[in-house]
DNA sequence: AGGTATCCATACACTTTCGCATGTAAAACG
DNA sequence: CGTTTTACATGCGAAAGTGTATGGATACCT
């Protein structure tokens, strides 16, 4: 059995990516050979080299399956009332993000990107992380500025400062969660932390 | 010239560790060979294998040069008045920690541990990070509990929640700082963030 | 002063991995 | 239905890295 139908070929490609995820998170990116990935998917290296140029190309393809931009999380809420309550919009967007992250594939790939891969050849994971951080940070800032204009932010805290506080808190929580192998629910913990932090930032009643 | 005096031998050992730091942070741990480390220090692999058992042993020795426990930071303050002001103790300890981290060697090694190394053979960087996180987290919790007893913490925020908030914020800031290659001062940014966050947690005047 | 342990360079064998070249049977296409 | 292309498996050469064995010159000790 050699030649497969087009659907089967696409399935083996996905299977290779799945196998790569599991091997990467178990042994690290650098320590897993293309042979191990292929064998774990029930294939040989020939399949890998047919679907991907090399390990960097495979790695890049793996990341493409989990991209989630922050702005889309807010837009997905699709509630016109939220323009009047930007802090609430932030809270709901964070919760939505937590839900996404708890899906196994998202958790695995982000854990790989942050904890299980070094710089190699084509790919610079730190640059990718910076890119994602900058993106969400910019969106956050917009909403905090909106909140400040509406008087829904303590006036002794600038929008920029509020952004940094929340951004750092989210990042720290995210890293803790990944580092502890998802031993707690980032959805529950994150919801509590974000709710508390945003409450602290609101003006006194 | 082969046999060196004991002081010279110790110097070459340090030089090897210095070279390892630079190569690790530049190319990642897995992608740098012992040959590269030795050549960069003006030696050959023979010197490396004399001073260290293998790469994992060298890596471990590199980490031993920068260990800094959180509790010692507080004790180093050595101000008896601080037992009455636990939040201030936390703030000063964080600032002291930031000062340590800005020293180039500390920054380099932590960046390597967090961003430039994968699990390999003997060493599990995630376990090390968890150990360090647990340690500082426990110390933080003690001080927040003390603050709660003294009525210096908002009573709608439990000490555990306050600990998680600050811990996450510090971790996120730390990662951002390392990821951005120290492009901003963690001392200045961190001082502002910690000061603001602690102020938010205090009861209304 | 002589012997020995130290400190490091050099050389060699071995393993691992990569990239490519080739083989091949079935699916896709006209 | 014949031809071409696809979707892999297999095999080979080259390169890199590791661990160790050996050599040698000198600092250190008695």
């Amino acid at each position: 059995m050699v030649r497969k139908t087009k659907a089967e070929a696409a399935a083996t490609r996905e299977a290779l990516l799945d196998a790569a995820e599991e091997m990467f998170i178990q042994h690290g990116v650098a320590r897993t050979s293309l042979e191990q990935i292929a064998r774990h998917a029930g294939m040989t290296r020939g399949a890998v080299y047919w679907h991907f140029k090399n390990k960097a190309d495979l790695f890049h393809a793996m990341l493409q399956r989990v991209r989630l931009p922050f702005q889309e999380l807010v837009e997905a809420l699709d509630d016109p009332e939220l323009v009047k309550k930007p802090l609430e919009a932030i809270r709901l967007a964070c919760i939505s993000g937590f839900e996404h992250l708890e899906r196994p594939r998202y958790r695995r790939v982000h854990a790989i990107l942050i904890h299980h891969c070094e710089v190699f050849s084509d790919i610079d994971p730190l640059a990718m992380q910076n890119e994602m951080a900058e993106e969400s940070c910019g969106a956050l800032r917009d909403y905090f500025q909106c909140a400040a204009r509406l008087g829904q932010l303590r006036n002794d805290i600038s929008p920029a400062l509020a952004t940094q506080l929340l951004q750092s808190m989210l990042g720290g929580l995210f890293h803790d969660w990944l580092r502890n192998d998802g031993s707690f629910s980032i959805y529950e913990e994150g919801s509590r932390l974000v709710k508390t932090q945003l409450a602290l930032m609101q003006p006194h009643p």
Side-chain angles (χ1 to χ4, degrees), chain A residues 21-38:
Chain A
E21 283 185 14
E22 296 182 19
M23 292 285 116
F24 284 167
I25 212 167
Q26 195 168 354
H27 304 108
V29 175
R31 304 280 294 180
T32 66
S33 63
L34 297 181
E35 172 93 24
Q36 292 177 33
I37 295 173

Side-chain angles (χ1 to χ4, degrees), chain A residues 1 5 18 23 28 35 60 80 82 90-91 107-108 116 139 146 169 179 186-187 189:
Chain A
M1 59 295 194
T5 173
D18 290 343
M23 292 285 116
E35 172 93 24
H60 197 269
L82 284 180
I90 289 175
R91 194 178 71 85
R107 195 186 69 73
R108 273 208 308 267
H116 295 274
C146 181
M169 206 209 64
R179 191 169 1 97
I186 195 177
Y187 175 77
E189 289 290 324

Side-chain angles (χ1 to χ4, degrees), chain A residues 35-172:
Chain A
E35 172 93 24
Q36 292 177 33
I37 295 173
R39 302 284 288 186
H40 192 255
M43 305 275 152
T44 69
R45 266 172 49 247
V48 176
Y49 275 101
W50 198 88
H51 283 287
F52 309 100
K53 186 181 174 186
N54 49 28
K55 192 198 273 189
D57 188 39
L58 186 150
F59 187 84
H60 197 269
M62 186 187 74
L63 289 184
Q64 286 307 106
R65 299 202 298 180
V66 298
R67 286 198 65 90
L68 69 92
F70 183 89
Q71 185 61 33
E72 291 183 5
L73 293 178
V74 185
E75 294 168 355
L77 296 174
D78 196 31
D79 183 350
E81 291 298 309
L82 284 180
V83 295
K84 306 177 192 165
K85 295 181 282 186
L87 294 190
E88 186 66 6
I90 289 175
R91 194 178 71 85
L92 293 178
C94 289
I95 290 179
S96 174
F98 295 149
E99 285 174 353
H100 279 264
L101 288 174
E102 285 208 334
R103 304 213 291 248
R105 168 164 300 165
Y106 280 71
R107 195 186 69 73
R108 273 208 308 267
V109 175
H110 280 92
I112 291 169
L113 181 61
I114 291 185
H115 288 308
H116 295 274
C117 85
E118 308 176 354
V119 273
F120 73 102
S121 63
D122 222 2
I123 304 238
D124 183 1
L126 296 186
M128 292 185 179
Q129 293 174 234
N130 266 330
E131 184 185 345
M132 296 166 63
E134 283 300 324
E135 177 187 318
S136 63
C137 193
L140 269 184
R141 195 186 317 272
D142 292 342
Y143 285 91
F144 274 122
Q145 283 172 346
C146 181
R149 280 195 300 270
L150 295 176
Q152 296 175 15
L153 190 66
R154 284 176 61 141
N155 48 20
D156 56 345
I157 296 182
S158 70
L161 187 55
T163 304
Q164 288 182 347
L165 279 175
L166 190 60
Q167 160 92 3
S168 294
M169 206 209 64
L170 289 174

